[in-house]
Amino acid sequence: MAAKRGRSPTPPERFPQPPQLITPYSQLGMPSERRPWWAPAGWLLVAVSTLVFYAVFLVLSPLILICVVARRMWARRLRYRRDPRNLRIAIVGGGWSGLQCLQRFKALGVHDVDVFERYDEIGGTWSRNLRYHGLQIHGSMTVTSFDGLPYSDDPDVQGGKVMAEEVERYIHRYADAFDLLPHVRLHSNVDSVRYRSADRTGTLTITDTRTGAVRTSRPYHLVIWASMSAYGEVPRLPGAEEYRGRQLHTTQFSPEEFEDIVRHNRRVVVVGGGKAACDVVLGFRRAGYENFEWVMRKPYLFYKFEALLHDASPMDRIRGLSYLATVLWLGVSRRLGAVLHWSSGHLWTFGAPHTDFTHFHGGVLCATQRRDLDGAPHTVGDPVRFDADGIVLADGRSVPGDVVVWATGNRSGIDTLRLEKDGEPFTLSPRAKLYNHFIVPDLPVLASSTALWTTWGPMRATNSADLAVYHLCVREERSEQEMQRAARRQLSDNSILHSFIWAKGDCWLQQWVYFHIDLMLQGVTPVDAFLKHAIEIFVLAKETPLAFDILPRTGPFTRSDRSAHGRHAAGVPLGAPE
């Protein structure tokens, strides 16, 4: 049975103008959805669960206070065992995470840092090399600004949304403001990492993407993977060879492809239910183009922008306190957390509400986006093969199309690395956990800023730099076996290949709660710092970096040690007689 095609057989008379690049909070639109009939019962459930949560918190507060005091006393005793200024760090990926990590390293005194970017410019997901037509930032600029350089001083603009082109300009402003570009090696694709356990260093093999020339780097003490979504693949379905149309991943869905589709009135099938699919569909609808069909396995759940990223009015702050309790209840029960999310009015989806949180990856849609998506032609089904005219779903329905756009997620690309350990090939296990959700225990020269998802936006990368310096320069050296044992005890399923933020079959928000419990139990995140950070985001609608507080408050050396370090810099070995 043929699925319904788009509702408009002809393209718009003229090609649409580019969308507004900056949308202030005041222009995001007002919600048009009616409150469901069960809303009062939902509010009552949220109120009761919130009171229970804070009552339990009050009972446990003396124990929490003891933990906070003990943690602070421990932090005051921290001392450097190694000079961070002697570290050599490699960062793979020149997007906003890699650049924020670089800036934090520089602030900590680590200046020997190289950032390797395979394309001809910085920007990562937001650069013209990877962004798709219609890509818009998920949340407000409040929670997606760099540390040290807010996007705007205007609260209305800072609380709004911007398109990818504007994010790219912002990233370049940040790089210029902190003089980061001298550290960036463009046209440099990292092919392999060779680890020597004798000195715990890694050497990189790098290909120049312009000339194909291959070079070898100097040894690094740590290689940080900072790529989140740089690789997109078209799924391989049976029958693809007989399909007469063409397939695109969203990373290939350029403005030129969009213009070609609209000008020639090509039938489009958009596959996927997440944020990228919403962006593609919104691009068509706002252009007045309806000759498409949207196919999704199951409708995804999305945050309502105005509920999650509010304007911090007194009522919104009270609502934020209840939502913070709702998030933490997810650590107890996924189903209860889903019901509370719906009851609190934070969620939206196509059609009837559902509680399958495996189809929720933190996408955020404002009222205008939800309005523009309402009524979009869509089909719920599982694509299993191609025929000559389009895709065929598991139930036998055929969805014809000249172009299939796969909005089915990206990969970080870390699995493209060739790895060696002491001359032998090394393979990353897809389910192996990371030590502190950051370091590969049995290849400890490799770490993932992508997996250390402490908070939203680029600010989370400050924690990667802090944890790297703490691991290499402050705490006692850990053996591979010690790190493996500690990683296995972690509650979260987070891994280097399957970061919980994109993991299929997992509730990412539940894994996020477990992730932070792991870091608190391991002494990395102070309990009070986590609570402060959560209140900032959910209640006060602002963001500052999560404070790990794992680095000594004084410099790495005493006065006499600094004198010795000066001699070492001049070529005199430490400990040598004067």
Side-chain angles (χ1 to χ4, degrees):
M1 181 178 77
K4 178 179 66 176
R5 299 184 185 179
R7 294 181 293 179
S8 174
T10 57
E13 293 183 0
R14 64 182 182 86
F15 193 71
Q17 295 298 311
Q20 183 177 351
L21 295 181
I22 305 171
T23 306
Y25 186 89
S26 59
Q27 297 179 21
L28 291 177
M30 297 298 294
S32 59
E33 300 92 351
R34 294 183 178 180
R35 291 172 178 169
W37 61 268
W38 44 263
W43 298 335
L44 180 61
L45 177 61
V46 170
V48 171
S49 66
T50 301
L51 290 174
V52 170
F53 173 81
Y54 286 109
V56 172
F57 182 82
L58 186 61
V59 170
L60 295 177
S61 58
L63 178 60
I64 295 173
L65 183 59
I66 291 173
C67 291
V68 169
V69 172
R71 174 61 166 71
R72 290 189 177 184
M73 292 176 63
W74 169 84
R76 289 182 178 276
R77 295 172 59 87
L78 292 173
R79 296 294 183 268
Y80 286 102
R81 63 175 177 82
R82 179 183 193 175
D83 186 354
R85 292 169 292 189
N86 292 333
L87 292 180
R88 296 188 302 275
I89 304 293
I91 298 174
V92 184
W96 66 6
S97 178
L99 296 175
Q100 178 77 87
C101 190
L102 166 62
Q103 188 276 331
R104 179 60 176 168
F105 272 123
K106 291 180 65 177
L108 295 173
V110 183
H111 293 275
D112 197 350
V113 183
D114 294 324
V115 177
F116 296 98
E117 170 56 53
R118 62 179 169 141
Y119 290 112
D120 59 351
E121 63 175 352
I122 60 172
T125 301
W126 311 102
S127 73
R128 56 183 171 80
N129 297 296
L130 287 173
R131 67 173 177 252
Y132 53 81
H133 177 78
L135 173 60
Q136 188 175 31
I137 205 159
H138 283 233
S140 69
M141 296 309 296
T142 300
V143 295
T144 46
S145 281
F146 285 103
D147 179 36
L149 187 71
Y151 174 73
S152 174
D153 294 331
D154 184 340
D156 193 30
V157 173
Q158 184 74 353
K161 304 180 74 167
V162 305
M163 301 297 290
E165 294 88 336
E166 181 60 21
V167 178
E168 182 186 29
R169 295 189 185 101
Y170 174 44
I171 291 172
H172 279 272
R173 293 204 309 272
Y174 179 77
D176 291 340
F178 289 94
D179 194 27
L180 302 180
L181 292 181
H183 293 265
V184 180
R185 311 291 178 252
L186 299 175
H187 305 285
S188 299
N189 188 75
V190 177
D191 302 315
S192 68
V193 179
R194 298 196 302 274
Y195 172 62
R196 278 172 39 97
S197 58
D199 57 5
R200 288 201 168 193
T201 62
T203 303
L204 310 183
T205 302
I206 303 153
T207 298
D208 189 310
T209 55
R210 297 165 298 180
T211 65
V214 178
R215 66 186 188 273
T216 301
S217 77
R218 58 205 175 122
Y220 291 99
H221 295 109
L222 195 65
V223 179
I224 300 177
W225 189 267
S227 167
M228 170 60 75
S229 54
Y231 292 81
E233 290 183 349
V234 171
R236 298 179 180 179
L237 295 185
E241 65 280 355
E242 64 181 271
Y243 173 51
R244 292 194 291 255
R246 71 176 187 271
Q247 302 182 65
L248 302 170
H249 188 269
T250 46
T251 54
Q252 303 165 313
F253 185 58
S254 63
E256 293 75 21
E257 290 284 357
F258 175 81
E259 183 173 353
D260 175 80
I261 288 169
V262 173
R263 288 194 184 281
H264 296 93
N265 195 28
R266 303 191 193 281
R267 296 173 298 172
V268 181
V269 181
V270 181
V271 183
K275 177 61 169 56
C278 289
D279 284 339
V280 173
V281 171
L282 283 168
F284 285 131
R285 299 214 83 190
R286 290 171 177 174
Y289 191 77
E290 297 284 337
N291 194 14
F292 69 90
E293 187 72 19
W294 188 2
V295 177
M296 61 189 77
R297 292 183 177 91
K298 188 172 188 177
Y300 266 59
L301 301 171
F302 293 90
Y303 279 120
K304 293 180 179 178
F305 187 101
E306 70 281 359
L308 180 69
L309 303 167
H310 48 77
D311 60 1
S313 67
M315 186 57 66
D316 281 329
R317 293 187 179 191
I318 293 173
R319 187 179 189 178
L321 284 170
S322 70
Y323 183 66
L324 175 57
T326 292
V327 170
L328 296 180
W329 273 119
L330 266 169
V332 178
S333 166
R334 180 187 301 185
R335 183 57 57 88
L336 174 61
V339 171
L340 290 175
H341 268 73
W342 276 112
S343 299
S344 64
H346 276 74
L347 294 184
W348 177 88
T349 191
F350 298 93
H354 65 81
T355 57
D356 183 0
F357 260 30
T358 64
H359 283 72
F360 177 46
H361 291 284
V364 182
L365 296 174
C366 69
T368 300
Q369 289 173 310
R370 303 196 303 270
R371 181 201 65 205
D372 292 346
L373 289 170
D374 187 40
H378 69 276
T379 297
V380 177
D382 186 8
V384 294
R385 63 182 176 87
F386 279 97
D387 60 19
D389 296 321
I391 61 174
V392 179
L393 307 181
D395 59 8
R397 289 178 295 165
S398 177
V399 184
D402 304 311
V403 181
V404 175
V405 179
W406 293 96
T408 48
N410 294 11
R411 298 168 20 244
S412 75
I414 197 168
D415 55 336
T416 65
L417 283 177
R418 296 192 309 273
L419 302 173
E420 287 185 14
K421 180 178 180 180
D422 295 327
E424 298 294 328
F426 181 89
T427 302
L428 291 171
S429 171
R431 302 310 301 174
K433 296 181 179 181
L434 299 173
Y435 180 48
N436 298 147
H437 295 288
F438 183 53
I439 297 163
V440 180
D442 42 357
L443 195 77
V445 76
L446 184 61
S448 173
S449 180
T450 301
L452 195 67
W453 190 276
T454 51
T455 188
W456 283 263
M459 278 191 193
R460 66 179 182 272
T462 62
N463 296 132
S464 295
D466 286 355
L467 189 51
V469 173
Y470 172 64
H471 176 69
L472 295 170
C473 301
V474 179
R475 68 179 167 198
E476 293 301 318
E477 188 173 283
R478 299 287 195 269
S479 69
E480 294 178 15
Q481 292 73 25
E482 288 174 322
M483 290 188 284
Q484 288 167 354
R485 285 195 296 269
R488 284 195 294 268
R489 291 195 294 266
Q490 292 171 172
L491 298 173
S492 174
D493 294 331
N494 196 22
S495 79
I496 197 164
L497 295 183
H498 299 286
S499 173
F500 63 82
I501 193 68
W502 305 126
K504 295 180 180 178
D506 264 330
C507 170
W508 80 269
L509 201 49
Q510 184 182 59
Q511 292 297 317
W512 184 80
V513 173
Y514 292 161
F515 164 90
H516 276 291
I517 291 174
D518 289 334
L519 293 182
M520 285 186 280
L521 291 176
Q522 292 171 342
V524 174
T525 303
V527 176
D528 53 325
F530 171 75
L531 293 174
K532 172 181 176 291
H533 191 72
I535 290 171
E536 276 188 347
I537 291 178
F538 297 123
V539 181
L540 303 178
K542 66 178 184 178
E543 184 185 27
T544 57
L546 174 61
F548 273 175
D549 193 21
I550 51 178
L551 299 179
R553 289 171 172 79
T554 58
F557 299 105
T558 63
R559 185 172 303 172
S560 59
D561 288 333
R562 288 193 185 97
S563 175
H565 175 73
R567 295 167 57 225
H568 178 59
V572 181
L574 285 175
E578 296 188 22

